């Protein structure tokens, strides 16, 4: 016996279309819900945004820095750490508020050690050169001598602080010594050169 | 009844059943959405760790000098000696400030020298000593770089790092913090609690001293508390009634706190303060940072709640140079 194709009634057709129409509505609801997420649940790693014009990923390169130190005794103490504006407090706690007020977008951090001493590098993306200069000025001691990394820089014992483009950089030594000052200078110069060479433009909606 | 009518009825029944199932699933999903997935335990209430003192007993000592060990001993002696506060068999939890993986010279963490001196006194009194903190940065890195781990272990203390499972919801009963996850495991073991804090500037609350030091016992998303930090710090003084607090003013982070970063931000103070009234100790510490204690919101809140004496001079402190 040949099966009989039962005709679809208009009512069935209307109900079916209504059910199908629900699907995009559900998708829209999921999308809208996803726009309001708890930033503490997610941690954006700018290292994955390695595209020009989108992020400041990769400005701290361990191979560059190790080559700059040129001393096998100095090794990176862990990898490069990345923080966004939302997770900055995980590195500098309450101090983050001042950086946020001055437009910080990201922080990259790396530390070098010879087993006894260490030198920490903080690379803050302050969005604009003006904001980076402002942050440098906020933290600058009034009597700090000018640095050897250009006009927007100063020294504090073996540590160096400078602005390069929109970046505010701190190269902090664990103690005051000529040896650490020399290593710190090489690291700082390498970071400055890397920033000049590889700094992508900031998307307009981030300014 | 035609076949069409029967098919339509069957179709409508199926649609109805499907619709009911969908509605039920949606309601269930909505009800489950964002609900806590575990039964919350009853909050713990911390015991008080302070010692009962007589009306005439000294409550605040300020020692000036250049030897940390000598100053600590002299300050404690001025309060009646460590045996007044710690007895044989006690388990003393010493809570230093190990918030950041910074070297001691930058004064953003408790200096290991004062920790050594206090551990020695506790052990001489016959106590077992634990050292614990919940740093902002990696615990292992912060304890190592600050010199706290080495100092603690060399003096015979046990270091307790924060780990999942060591936190409990604790009742604070504060203005902002009713309950909050706290690094409870070392507190559970302790019969006495001593806080040792550096003297440092803080961009949010004006000063980070002995009361702010208890922030390092908090777990959870404590960064969310920054907007009400003055009330939170006062809540912390309600949470922890310590046996003693020490304020290290041998070197002080005068600006760019709480992290610091420049040796030029640090000045010598050559002073150690010891007391049972953390409000009074902090009020004195504020003056060493060049601040009027009345200008610090958390101190005003703490005094208003009866947690201590903002006018530290009213305690008739024992001040000595050694």
């Amino acid at each position: 016996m040949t099966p009989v194709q039962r005709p679809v009634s208009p009512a069935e057709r209307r109900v079916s279309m209504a059910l199908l129409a629900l699907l995009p509505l559900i998708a829209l609801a999921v999308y809208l819900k996803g726009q309001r997420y708890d930033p503490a649940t997610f941690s954006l790693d700018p290292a994955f945004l390695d595209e020009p014009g989108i992020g400041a990923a990769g400005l701290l390169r361990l191979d560059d820095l190790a080559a700059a130190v040129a001393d096998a005794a100095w090794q990176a103490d862990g990898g490069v750490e990345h923080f966004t504006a939302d997770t900055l407090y995980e590195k500098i706690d309450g101090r983050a508020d001042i950086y946020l007020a001055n437009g910080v977008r990201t922080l990259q951090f790396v530390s070098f050690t010879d087993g006894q001493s260490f030198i920490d590098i903080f690379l803050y993306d302050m969005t604009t050169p003006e904001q980076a200069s402002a942050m440098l000025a906020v933290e600058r001691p009034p009597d700090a001598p000018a640095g050897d990394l250009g006009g927007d820089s100063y020294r504090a014992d073996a540590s160096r602080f400078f602005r390069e483009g929109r970046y505010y950089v701190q190269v902090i030594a664990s103690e005051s010594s000529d040896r650490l000052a020399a290593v710190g200078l090489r690291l700082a110069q390498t970071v400055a050169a890397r920033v000049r060479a590889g700094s992508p433009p900031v998307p307009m909606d981030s300014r | 009844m035609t076949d069409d009518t029967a098919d339509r009825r069957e179709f409508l029944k199926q649609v109805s059943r499907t619709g009911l199932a969908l509605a039920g699933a949606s309601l269930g999903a909505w009800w489950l959405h964002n609900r806590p997935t575990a039964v919350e335990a009853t909050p713990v209430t911390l015991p008080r760790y302070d010692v009962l003192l007589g009306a005439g007993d000294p409550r605040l000592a300020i020692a000036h000098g250049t030897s940390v060990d000598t100053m600590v001993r002299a300050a404690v002696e001025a309060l009646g000696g460590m045996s007044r506060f710690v007895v044989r068999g006690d388990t003393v939890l010493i809570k230093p400030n190990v918030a950041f993986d910074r070297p001691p010279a930058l004064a953003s963490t408790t200096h290991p020298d004062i920790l050594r001196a206090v551990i020695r006194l506790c052990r001489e009194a016959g106590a077992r000593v634990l050292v614990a903190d919940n740093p902002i940065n990696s615990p292992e890195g912060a304890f190592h770089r600050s010199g706290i781990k080495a100092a603690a272990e060399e003096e015979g203390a046990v270091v307790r790092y924060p780990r999942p499972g060591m936190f409990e919801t604790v009742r604070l009963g504060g203005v902002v913090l009713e309950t909050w996850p706290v690094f409870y495991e070392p507190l559970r073991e302790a019969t006495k609690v001593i806080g040792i804090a550096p003297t440092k500037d803080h961009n949010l609350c004006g000063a980070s001293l002995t009361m702010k030091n208890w922030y390092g016992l908090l777990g959870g998303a404590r960064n969310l508390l920054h907007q009400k930090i003055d009330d939170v710090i006062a809540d912390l003084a309600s949470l922890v009634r310590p046996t003693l607090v020490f304020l290290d003013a041998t070197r002080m982070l005068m600006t760019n706190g709480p992290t610091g970063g420049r040796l030029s931000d640090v000045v010598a103070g050559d002073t150690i303060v010891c007391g049972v009234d953390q409000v009074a100790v902090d009020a004195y510490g504020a003056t060493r940072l060049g601040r009027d204690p009345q200008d610090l919101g958390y101190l005003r809140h703490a005094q208003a709640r009866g947690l201590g004496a903002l006018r530290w001079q009213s305690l008739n402190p024992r001040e000595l140079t050694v």
Side-chain angles (χ1 to χ4, degrees):
Chain A
M1 180 187 290
T2 306
V4 175
Q5 179 96 19
R6 186 177 60 79
V8 178
S9 71
E12 289 176 81
R13 206 179 292 278
R14 283 196 290 273
V15 171
S16 300
M17 294 307 292
L19 286 173
L20 284 173
L22 272 180
L23 293 178
L25 287 177
I26 292 170
L28 179 64
V30 170
Y31 169 77
L32 291 174
K33 177 68 179 175
Q35 300 310 301
R36 294 168 54 205
Y37 63 90
D38 178 1
T41 311
F42 301 95
S43 180
L44 172 64
D45 185 349
F48 293 113
L49 300 179
D50 205 0
E51 293 182 55
I54 293 179
L59 288 178
L60 292 185
R61 299 280 177 88
L62 294 182
D63 49 355
D64 284 354
L65 295 169
V69 175
D71 182 343
W74 286 90
Q75 301 289 326
D77 188 9
V80 178
E81 298 174 24
H82 299 267
F83 302 89
T84 67
D86 291 331
T87 61
L88 185 61
Y89 73 90
E90 293 175 11
K91 189 62 180 174
I92 62 174
D93 196 34
R95 192 77 190 155
D97 285 51
I98 285 187
Y99 285 81
L100 293 169
N102 281 280
V104 70
R105 295 174 68 230
T106 63
L107 164 65
Q108 294 176 58
F109 169 85
V110 71
S111 183
F112 275 79
T113 181
D114 65 355
Q116 298 247 348
S117 309
F118 47 92
I119 298 177
D120 293 341
I121 303 173
F122 293 78
L123 176 70
Y124 293 94
D125 180 348
M126 301 303 299
T127 308
T128 68
E130 293 77 19
Q131 287 175 159
S133 280
M135 199 60 232
L136 181 79
V138 162
E139 297 192 330
R140 181 175 190 154
D143 55 352
D148 38 17
L149 292 159
D152 233 351
S153 72
Y154 67 92
R155 275 190 68 172
D157 293 290
S159 301
R160 284 176 169 79
F161 305 83
F162 62 97
R163 177 192 67 81
E164 185 62 54
R166 67 177 195 262
Y167 296 93
Y168 170 40
V169 188
Q170 303 170 339
V171 181
I172 299 176
S174 57
E175 64 252 17
S176 178
S177 75
D178 291 340
R179 182 178 65 94
L180 259 64
V183 173
L185 177 60
R186 292 199 289 274
L187 289 169
Q189 288 170 332
T190 302
V191 172
R194 187 80 183 115
V195 168
R196 282 193 295 272
S199 176
V202 177
M204 289 304 294
D205 60 3
S206 295
R207 292 173 188 264
Chain B
M1 186 191 310
T2 64
D3 286 343
D4 283 347
T5 303
D7 289 340
R8 189 174 301 118
R9 186 176 298 126
E10 189 57 36
F11 170 76
L12 289 174
K13 279 183 189 172
Q14 288 177 5
V15 167
S16 301
R17 286 190 207 113
T18 305
L20 280 171
L22 275 174
S26 301
L27 274 173
W30 175 80
W31 183 74
L32 288 170
H33 173 66
N34 276 346
R35 288 181 69 83
T37 55
V39 175
E40 292 196 4
T42 304
V44 174
T45 299
L46 286 187
R48 294 179 67 129
Y49 300 98
D50 51 345
V51 172
L52 192 61
L53 297 176
D57 289 340
R59 283 164 163 72
L60 179 63
I62 304 167
H64 305 288
T66 53
S67 163
V68 170
D69 191 79
T70 304
M71 282 190 279
V72 166
R73 287 180 179 274
V76 173
E77 198 57 39
L79 295 183
M82 188 57 86
S83 58
R84 180 74 180 82
F85 303 94
V86 173
V87 299
R88 183 164 298 280
D90 267 334
T91 295
V92 179
L93 168 62
I94 296 180
K95 162 58 179 84
N97 183 329
V98 200
F100 304 106
D101 52 1
R102 299 272 191 175
L106 293 180
S108 61
T109 53
T110 295
H111 199 283
D113 287 352
I114 186 172
L115 176 66
R116 287 180 190 276
V118 177
I119 292 174
R120 284 178 199 145
L121 285 176
C122 291
R123 297 201 71 215
E124 287 168 11
R128 171 176 170 254
V129 179
L130 308 175
V131 175
D133 192 17
N134 183 21
I136 301 297
N137 302 145
S138 152
E140 288 80 359
F143 270 79
H144 169 66
R145 287 189 167 200
S146 61
I148 292 295
K149 177 179 186 296
E153 292 179 344
E154 287 168 12
E155 295 298 333
V158 174
V159 173
R160 286 269 187 268
Y161 292 126
R163 297 280 183 258
M166 287 185 172
F167 290 77
E168 297 282 352
T169 301
V170 172
R171 184 179 308 284
L172 289 89
V175 169
V176 173
L177 301 177
E178 177 59 33
T179 60
W180 197 264
V182 168
F183 181 23
Y184 180 64
E185 191 61 28
L187 290 164
R188 187 207 311 272
E189 295 182 68
T191 55
K192 301 286 169 59
V193 172
I194 296 177
I196 307 178
T199 303
K200 56 179 187 173
D201 167 65
H202 196 290
N203 61 291
L204 293 178
C205 55
S208 176
L209 304 165
T210 66
M211 291 167 62
K212 177 67 168 64
N213 187 31
W214 307 120
Y215 216 91
L217 290 175
L218 300 181
R222 51 189 175 179
N223 62 300
L224 300 177
L225 304 174
H226 285 163
Q227 301 311 311
K228 297 182 178 180
I229 197 165
D230 287 336
D231 274 314
V232 168
I233 295 172
D235 287 350
L236 292 174
S238 299
L239 169 69
V240 184
R241 306 299 183 104
T243 312
L244 280 173
V245 292
F246 288 84
L247 184 65
D248 180 5
T250 57
R251 77 277 184 275
M252 304 176 291
L253 181 61
M254 301 299 288
T255 185
N256 291 322
T259 50
R262 297 145 199 82
L263 292 175
S264 54
D265 293 338
V266 181
V267 302
D270 297 333
T271 301
I272 286 175
V273 187
C274 177
V276 298
D277 183 328
Q278 43 192 341
V279 177
V281 171
D282 279 15
Y284 173 82
T287 66
R288 297 304 303 268
L289 287 170
R291 289 160 180 69
D292 183 340
Q294 288 285 356
D295 291 340
L296 296 183
Y298 79 85
L299 282 180
R300 293 196 309 272
H301 293 333
Q303 179 181 248
R305 299 188 210 176
L307 295 172
L310 191 63
R311 280 197 67 249
W312 54 273
Q313 301 91 330
S314 66
L315 298 185
N316 294 318
R318 306 288 201 265
E319 191 157 4
L320 52 156
T321 301
V322 295

